[in-house]
Amino acid sequence: PMPDIEHIREILNQFGPNAVLDIALIAAAIYGALRLVSGTRASTQARGALVLFLLALTLGRLFNLTVVNYLVRNSLPALLVAGAVIFQPELRRGLDRLGRTGIRGWNRAEHAEVVDSLTKAAVRMSIERHGGLFVVERTTGLQDVISTGIRVDARISPELLAGIFYPNSPMHDMAVVLRDDRVVAAGCLLPLTAELPTLDRNLGTRHRAAIGITEQTDAFSLVVSEETGEISLALGGRLLPVPDERRLRVMLEMLYDRATPTRVAEDRDGRAPI
């Protein structure tokens, strides 16, 4: 049979500017949600929930299951509540990104001084096998983390950073938080990551904390292993081993460059950014 041209024209006439805007907003929201959960545990959980929902819908329609069909029709409020609970970390991260108004500017002197201090301190600690964890605040405020530690409020220097983590010193445990060119606090408690890739399952608490803070904020962390002396950078929930001093300096320069904060996090599998 020939298609009903009048019916098709009537349907198309309903797509005015408001309908186009409506569809565009929904599409943008779905795209943003997919980008938010991409590469995280939430993406696997979302697929599992979708498969379960489609299975229930299909079985209910095929076998005319009254109770199942009723639950499917009235499950939207429950699914929204369950989604808010299950995907709480992803929602918090998304709202945090939405609320950012930009990255603070750095003058070249501060930039060079911080990179130099972090590089020298990390290399010295690596050689001496002194473990340490530095968290660098960017656009997401870390005041809740700072409040768990001891206020320092001192200008950054390699000697200060390495001295804080000297074994048995009063503030060598936990993490140091840096803001601009200052050491804000030491001995700070960080959230631990809940899930690690298979290859990273043997990481200790210091590395889990380094990853955990970068899952919830846009901060990056620099961690030195006490056991091996290995230096690693964490950004966006990923841990990146740093092979040498030159590579560490380059990666820190990239992180302080507002145009390239995410490139480092994406380069995990042996392709260190240059």
Side-chain angles (χ1 to χ4, degrees):
M2 296 293 294
D4 190 343
I5 302 300
E6 291 298 327
H7 181 63
I8 295 176
R9 185 179 292 112
E10 183 180 348
I11 294 175
L12 292 177
N13 288 335
Q14 296 177 5
F15 284 91
N18 291 341
V20 172
L21 178 61
D22 198 15
I23 294 173
L25 289 175
I26 296 299
I30 294 174
Y31 175 76
L34 292 176
R35 283 289 304 272
L36 188 63
V37 302
S38 176
T40 67
R41 289 182 302 151
S43 61
T44 304
Q45 295 167 348
R47 284 198 299 270
L50 180 61
V51 169
L52 184 61
F53 179 81
L54 293 177
L55 181 62
L57 180 64
T58 303
L59 292 176
R61 294 294 178 86
L62 285 177
F63 300 102
N64 195 24
L65 304 177
T66 305
V67 176
V68 172
N69 288 333
Y70 174 81
L71 292 176
V72 169
R73 287 195 304 269
N74 296 277
S75 61
L76 181 59
L79 290 175
L80 292 176
V81 174
V85 173
I86 296 173
F87 304 133
Q88 182 184 17
E90 286 74 20
L91 290 173
R92 290 177 60 186
R93 184 162 60 246
L95 292 174
D96 174 72
R97 291 176 181 174
L98 186 63
R100 295 174 194 163
T101 56
I103 299 177
R104 287 191 298 270
W106 285 74
N107 64 53
R108 296 299 300 177
E110 286 180 348
H111 183 142
E113 183 180 11
V114 175
V115 169
D116 187 64
S117 295
L118 281 171
T119 301
K120 289 181 177 178
V123 170
R124 175 179 172 181
M125 292 164 61
S126 173
I127 294 173
E128 298 176 351
R129 298 292 176 89
H130 294 169
L133 174 55
F134 306 101
V135 178
V136 179
E137 182 186 75
R138 297 208 282 180
T139 60
T140 304
L142 299 179
Q143 190 57 45
D144 54 338
V145 172
I146 293 169
S147 63
T148 66
I150 302 169
R151 296 286 300 195
V152 177
D153 195 23
R155 191 171 185 85
I156 192 170
S157 70
E159 295 77 16
L160 175 60
L161 296 179
I164 289 175
F165 288 103
Y166 193 83
N168 301 320
S169 67
M171 296 184 293
H172 80 284
D173 285 329
M174 309 306 173
V176 164
V177 176
L178 309 177
R179 175 186 293 157
D180 298 333
D181 63 340
R182 303 191 71 78
V183 179
V184 182
C188 299
L189 295 172
L190 301 181
L192 302 182
T193 183
E195 187 74 13
L196 287 172
T198 303
L199 297 177
D200 296 333
R201 293 288 168 81
N202 294 325
L203 293 177
T205 303
R206 182 175 283 128
H207 289 78
R208 290 174 179 265
I211 298 171
I213 189 63
T214 68
E215 289 177 337
Q216 299 185 13
T217 71
D218 71 335
F220 70 87
S221 55
L222 176 64
V223 59
V224 181
S225 172
E226 187 173 353
E227 290 76 20
T228 65
E230 181 178 316
I231 301 172
S232 303
L233 274 169
L235 177 67
R238 298 184 181 183
L239 192 67
L240 309 166
V242 183
D244 52 46
E245 179 178 355
R246 183 188 67 85
R247 200 67 57 87
L248 174 61
R249 191 176 295 273
V250 170
M251 293 172 76
L252 289 174
E253 289 281 355
M254 292 175 65
L255 285 169
Y256 280 114
D257 181 354
R258 68 174 61 192
T260 56
T262 57
R263 246 177 63 196
V264 179
E266 294 170 355
D267 204 355
R268 174 175 173 81
D269 301 325
R271 304 186 307 277
I274 298 295

